[in-house]
Amino acid sequence: MLEARLQSQQRSSQNGRETSLWSSGFGMKLEAVTPFLGKYRPFVGRCCQTCTPKSWESLFHRSIMDLGFCNVIQVKEESTRFRGWLVRRLCYFLWSLEQHIPPCQDAPQKVMESTGVQNVIPGRAPGGAGEGQVPSHVKREVQHILGHIQAPPRPFLLRLVSWALLRILNCLFLNVQLHKGQMKMVHKAAQAGSPLVLLSTHKSLLDGILLPFVLLSQGLGVLRVAWDPRTCSPILRALLKKLGGLFLPPEANLSLDSSEGVLARAVVHAAVEQLLVSGQPLLIFLEEPPGAQGPRLSALGQTWLGLVVQAVQVGIVPDAMLVPVAITYDLVPDAPRDTYHASAPLGLWTGALAVLWSLRGWGCSRRACVRVHLAQPFSLHEYTVNARSCWGSRQTLEQLLQPIVLGQCTVVPDTEKVQEWTPVTGPLLALKEEDQLLVRRLSCHVLNACVASSAVMSTAIMATLLLFKHQKGVCLSQLLGEFSWLTEETLLRGFDVGFSGQLQCLVQHTLSLLRPHVALLRVQQGDLLVVLRPGPGLAHLARLSSEMLPAFLSEAVGACAVWGLLVGRVLPEGPWELQGIELLSQNQLYHQILLLMHLLPQDLLLLQPCQSSYCYCQEVLDRLIQCGLLVAEETPGSRPACDTGRRRLSAKLLWKPSGDFTDSDSDDFEEAEGRYFRLSQQSRCPDFFLFLCRLLSPLLKAFAQAATFLHQGQLPDTESGYAEQLLRFLEATAQEEGFFECVDPNLAISAVWTFRDLGVLQQVPSPAGPMLHLSPTFASRDNQEKLERFIRQFICN
């Protein structure tokens, strides 16, 4: 008992010392500097110049870059028309009363009189009422379906919720930042007369409430939000509809030959058409709800977007302005996993408990920051006209990679990869196949714009540094320099950051947010050692670091491709100088980059549909040269690469398709055979090269473990059942090896779907539903080992 008491006293004193380190500002005298902010802050979010050149020019002016940021939830006496001591105490309430809420009248009669509904009525009422009259039972059906979709917004309820939300947000967050110049672009697009359709990422269940609040406070009116009915209980759906929410009725997902489904889809089309005609802004989430295991692109979001596209094509409205929206958090303030199940609908009582838990658990010391980004609006009509010219031939992943994996072929086919993980459901099935492809590509294009314009938060930078550069621990003084370096690298790549302030305060605030996963230890020299807490919490840091990946994705793909070339030539543990001797031809680099591109899921790469794979290969190579990792090697007797004055015009056509232009002077792939590169010998290159390789290691290691698991898995099984088996295997392997970063349900399901597309797993229909079977080609252990070797060549150990 005495020993146990002594041990408990030692633990309590250690916890007390650690608590004092957190609360005393680390207990160190550090110089407060601002090393990066103010030097260069990129204005991100410009639309695609290839697909929408007119929008790129018309809705942007360089003066809006200097307008700065505003804190949306900072409401003071000056935010109202009144002054005085009582106003300072009631400013939130007065501000909510002053918000302009335009009348939003949902006209059921106009929906009933729409052409689509009128065409369906004869099939629902054979031999019914006279000409021009709608039978009463059909009216009730239409009103019932329309009641599932929407309800007239209630101004009093909107003001009450805005007041309550303003108080809650100030308790949860330090600030909610919005760029004034981006808001000015959206206002300019709204004044053009076309309806606004905002297409957003989906990071939290709070997004559907936070974004309408932000835009209402900026004078855009009531935002109609397309919610997922699976995430809300019936009581919560009724409340959200009175706040402007939209829900797809369950009858809309019935088969195409079902009369109930035909009527429901006609009513949905008519409701969206009336919404666009009235000019009310619409918010659609392009990503699946947080916590959902499945494809990144939302099937429901594509359905709503397809309704908008069809309304523009039919001519109900001449055009619609699409606005990519991104929202990023330091930490997502969702309820814990044991409070509600991710697949269960969120009820009103459960949502209130989640808010109370967030207010209690976060407290003043863990309040995070939020950044809302509105990208440049662009014309939907202009995109549909220009986008169809970029479509080319495509092949499946099995056709592209399986012969190379098995060693039957070495040449990658000159075609694009087709990988559609998001199912086509609901009203989108009624569209022509060409229009379905247009909606899918538009969704991918806009989601790429959303991710490219997302601000990188301080927690993502810190998690990336601790996971992929200093997993064994780092001194705080060194961590300050690394944080400054990675922030500057992010800004130089055209990505914005969602924070500002002095370096020491930023690092202290970020570490306090990550306190459950980080420990601070005092060392003898007076410095502090920042150490990761081992265990499953590393998977949470890996999810945070994935927000950093888009800024370095091209370089990470290129570094892993270079590693795959070097691993078969020199020893991986050899010195950097020995690896720098090897010459890498441009053709070999193209080939290796293409292999890795095809292996990686489309949900991760999010390539623009107007950009070909070979153009992306050239972009990856250009990035490696620009960041100093690759240096061009001039072969003896050849003309220097920089000598363009003596270059003669070739007999080929000088004009190329627009998709073939890149920023490099090496556009002609046939001239790439004589070009060689070697790794740079600068002192910073080895660490930076390994850092880039490790950014993709969680995904690639999950794929490699999935290949190892092939001979242990119990097949046949459903996709979800086999993904559960694989996740348990990843957890068991992580307990042995200590690599918890790849223990993620989304990585497990991505591996299963990639192997299905690759032909490793086959989906066979059965009475119980589709079942996965091991392909006869990969039933042999030899081919399974070939697959594992193919994946592991890109992993830097």
Side-chain angles (χ1 to χ4, degrees):
M1 292 178 62
L2 181 61
E3 291 179 358
R5 183 176 300 176
L6 288 174
Q7 290 178 359
S8 64
Q9 290 178 355
Q10 291 175 357
R11 283 196 297 267
S12 62
S13 62
Q14 181 179 358
N15 293 335
R17 287 195 300 270
E18 185 176 341
T19 303
S20 65
L21 290 177
W22 287 103
S23 59
S24 62
F26 302 138
M28 298 175 58
K29 292 183 178 180
L30 298 172
E31 182 182 1
V33 293
T34 307
F36 35 84
L37 301 177
K39 284 185 177 180
Y40 173 70
R41 190 121 193 188
F43 187 84
V44 296
R46 299 295 302 274
C47 61
C48 180
Q49 195 173 8
T50 302
C51 300
T52 52
K54 294 181 181 179
S55 301
W56 190 84
E57 294 176 357
S58 60
L59 296 174
F60 176 78
H61 193 272
R62 296 194 64 85
S63 62
I64 67 177
M65 300 171 60
D66 303 325
L67 294 180
F69 294 87
C70 66
N71 184 9
V72 179
I73 62 175
Q74 186 179 12
V75 175
K76 299 181 179 179
E77 177 186 1
E78 293 78 10
S79 305
T80 67
R81 294 179 297 162
F82 310 99
R83 297 294 181 268
W85 65 271
L86 185 60
V87 176
R88 287 192 290 272
R89 286 156 179 80
L90 300 176
C91 58
Y92 286 4
F93 178 72
L94 294 175
W95 174 86
S96 63
L97 291 179
E98 290 183 351
Q99 296 306 306
H100 174 64
I101 300 178
C104 302
Q105 296 180 357
D106 297 316
Q109 188 62 31
K110 291 184 179 180
V111 172
M112 190 77 67
E113 296 172 355
S114 66
T115 306
V117 175
Q118 290 294 324
N119 292 336
V120 176
I121 286 177
R124 297 291 297 168
E131 184 178 356
Q133 298 181 0
V134 180
S136 58
H137 73 278
V138 177
K139 268 189 179 180
R140 288 194 297 269
E141 287 185 24
V142 173
Q143 292 172 355
H144 175 72
I145 295 173
L146 196 58
H148 269 291
I149 300 173
Q150 61 187 8
R154 305 295 176 87
F156 172 76
L157 189 59
L158 282 167
R159 298 185 193 279
L160 180 63
V161 170
S162 297
W163 168 77
L165 192 60
L166 187 59
R167 302 192 68 88
I168 293 173
L169 292 177
N170 275 280
C171 294
L172 284 178
F173 303 116
L174 286 172
N175 52 59
V176 178
Q177 296 289 337
L178 177 67
H179 198 284
K180 298 178 183 177
Q182 298 168 0
M183 199 67 238
K184 187 175 181 179
M185 285 194 304
V186 176
H187 276 296
K188 187 177 179 181
Q191 293 169 1
S194 299
L196 291 179
V197 179
L198 294 92
L199 306 170
S200 175
T201 58
H202 205 0
K203 302 300 181 186
S204 167
L205 296 175
L206 190 62
D207 295 348
I209 300 176
L210 178 60
L211 287 175
F213 169 81
V214 170
L215 297 177
L216 177 65
S217 67
Q218 300 301 310
L220 274 185
V222 179
L223 185 64
R224 311 304 297 268
V225 183
W227 287 88
D228 189 348
R230 298 172 300 173
T231 60
C232 306
S233 66
I235 298 178
L236 186 58
R237 283 201 299 268
L239 175 62
L240 292 175
K241 279 188 285 190
K242 294 178 182 178
L243 296 175
L246 300 173
F247 293 90
L248 198 67
E251 296 87 357
N253 292 318
L254 297 177
S255 60
L256 296 180
D257 56 354
S258 169
S259 59
E260 291 84 359
V262 172
L263 179 61
R265 285 187 285 271
V267 174
V268 172
H269 277 283
V272 172
E273 290 169 2
Q274 293 302 320
L275 182 70
L276 296 176
V277 169
S278 63
Q280 301 177 54
L282 172 64
L283 173 63
I284 299 173
F285 291 109
L286 290 180
E287 289 184 321
E288 285 289 345
Q293 298 180 19
R296 183 173 186 176
L297 278 170
S298 169
L300 183 65
Q302 289 189 1
T303 298
W304 285 104
L305 183 57
L307 295 171
V308 176
V309 171
Q310 192 171 18
V312 173
Q313 287 182 338
V314 172
I316 302 298
V317 288
D319 198 2
M321 301 303 296
L322 305 184
V323 186
V325 181
I327 180 168
T328 49
Y329 302 84
D330 275 335
L331 287 179
V332 178
D334 280 339
R337 293 284 176 166
D338 53 357
T339 302
Y340 71 96
H341 195 269
S343 61
L346 181 65
L348 194 60
W349 177 247
T350 310
L353 288 178
V355 172
L356 292 176
W357 177 88
S358 299
L359 293 175
R360 174 185 175 275
W362 283 50
C364 296
S365 61
R366 295 196 66 207
R367 287 197 299 165
C369 301
V370 186
R371 175 76 178 275
V372 178
H373 184 92
L374 304 174
Q376 183 180 6
F378 64 92
S379 166
L380 174 59
H381 177 71
E382 183 185 10
Y383 178 84
T384 55
V385 171
N386 297 331
R388 298 181 189 273
S389 61
C390 301
W391 298 355
S393 61
R394 301 186 299 169
Q395 290 185 0
T396 63
L397 187 62
E398 182 177 358
Q399 295 170 328
L400 290 172
L401 276 191
Q402 191 182 100
I404 299 176
V405 170
L406 299 178
Q408 301 170 356
C409 178
T410 58
V411 179
V412 184
D414 184 11
T415 184
E416 303 300 317
K417 177 181 69 172
V418 53
Q419 190 174 56
E420 304 294 349
W421 286 355
T422 305
V424 180
T425 58
L428 199 60
L429 281 171
L431 299 181
K432 296 184 293 186
E433 185 176 354
E434 183 181 2
D435 293 333
Q436 294 179 16
L437 181 59
L438 174 66
V439 172
R440 287 198 297 266
R441 294 200 168 202
L442 176 59
S443 303
C444 187
H445 207 300
V446 176
L447 188 56
N448 174 277
C450 294
V451 172
S453 59
S454 298
V456 179
M457 307 304 284
S458 59
T459 49
I461 293 179
M462 185 63 69
T464 303
L465 287 173
L466 295 178
L467 271 181
F468 302 122
K469 279 185 72 72
H470 304 291
Q471 197 166 13
K472 295 183 179 180
V474 57
C475 293
L476 182 60
S477 56
Q478 182 183 355
L479 185 60
L480 291 172
E482 295 279 359
F483 190 93
S484 173
W485 162 77
L486 193 53
T487 303
E488 289 180 350
E489 292 289 338
T490 304
L491 294 171
L492 290 175
R493 281 160 176 79
F495 282 76
D496 200 1
V497 294
F499 53 87
S500 61
Q502 295 180 340
L503 182 60
Q504 177 187 352
C505 298
L506 281 173
V507 172
Q508 179 182 355
H509 171 71
T510 306
L511 289 176
S512 65
L513 292 177
L514 302 178
R515 186 174 177 177
H517 313 289
V518 174
L520 294 181
L521 304 176
R522 177 82 68 180
V523 292
Q524 294 180 353
Q525 293 79 8
D527 203 349
L528 292 179
L529 187 66
V530 182
V531 182
L532 289 177
R533 300 182 190 271
L538 296 179
H540 176 72
L541 293 180
R543 285 191 290 272
L544 285 176
S545 66
S546 64
E547 303 294 329
M548 189 78 189
L549 184 57
F552 294 89
L553 183 57
S554 298
E555 290 96 326
V557 171
C560 290
V562 172
W563 178 268
L565 285 176
L566 292 176
V567 74
R569 303 183 184 183
V570 297
L571 294 176
E573 61 272 9
W576 180 259
E577 293 78 8
L578 182 61
Q579 298 178 0
I581 298 177
E582 291 293 326
L583 288 178
L584 308 173
S585 72
Q586 188 164 326
N587 276 344
Q588 292 173 337
L589 288 171
Y590 283 154
H591 180 267
Q592 203 73 4
I593 293 171
L594 274 176
L595 291 180
L596 183 55
M597 273 181 55
H598 292 325
L599 177 64
L600 295 177
Q602 185 65 30
D603 285 357
L604 173 70
L605 292 176
L606 286 179
L607 298 180
Q608 293 182 346
C610 58
Q611 184 183 30
S612 66
S613 298
Y614 276 100
C615 287
Y616 184 74
C617 288
Q618 188 59 53
E619 178 187 336
V620 170
L621 188 58
D622 289 343
R623 290 290 187 92
L624 292 178
I625 297 172
Q626 290 169 6
C627 68
L629 285 178
L630 286 184
V631 179
E633 179 71 17
E634 305 292 350
T635 57
S638 64
R639 184 177 68 245
C642 59
D643 186 6
T644 59
R646 295 183 295 172
R647 183 172 298 176
R648 296 183 178 180
L649 300 178
S650 63
K652 300 182 179 180
L653 293 175
L654 297 182
W655 294 103
K656 299 180 180 181
S658 60
D660 291 341
F661 285 107
T662 62
D663 295 332
S664 174
D665 61 349
S666 56
D667 291 332
D668 194 351
F669 292 97
E670 295 184 2
E671 296 181 2
E673 187 176 357
R675 295 180 186 145
Y676 291 88
F677 301 89
R678 66 171 72 248
L679 290 175
S680 174
Q681 296 301 309
Q682 298 180 18
S683 58
R684 69 176 185 87
C685 286
D687 290 339
F688 187 49
F689 180 79
L690 296 179
F691 168 73
L692 293 175
C693 289
R694 289 167 182 162
L695 289 178
L696 289 174
S697 59
L699 176 67
L700 293 175
K701 286 189 176 181
F703 282 17
Q705 294 289 348
T708 307
F709 182 66
L710 285 176
H711 69 280
Q712 302 180 24
Q714 301 295 324
L715 289 173
D717 198 353
T718 60
E719 284 185 353
S720 59
Y722 189 72
E724 286 291 334
Q725 292 185 47
L726 177 58
L727 182 61
R728 290 194 296 268
F729 176 76
L730 293 176
E731 291 173 349
T733 307
Q735 293 291 343
E736 298 175 0
E737 301 179 359
F739 192 85
F740 289 91
E741 291 88 325
C742 63
V743 183
D744 192 323
N746 288 324
L747 293 182
I749 196 68
S750 294
V752 172
W753 285 349
T754 301
F755 282 11
R756 181 197 61 192
D757 295 344
L758 189 56
V760 179
L761 302 173
Q762 290 182 345
Q763 199 170 41
V764 179
S766 69
M771 304 291 288
L772 286 180
H773 294 255
L774 189 61
S775 168
T777 305
F778 287 89
S780 66
R781 191 66 181 274
D782 185 36
N783 287 342
Q784 294 176 10
E785 292 176 354
K786 288 180 180 179
L787 175 63
E788 186 176 356
R789 284 197 301 269
F790 175 80
I791 298 172
R792 289 194 179 277
Q793 67 174 324
F794 301 109
I795 301 176
C796 178
N797 296 319

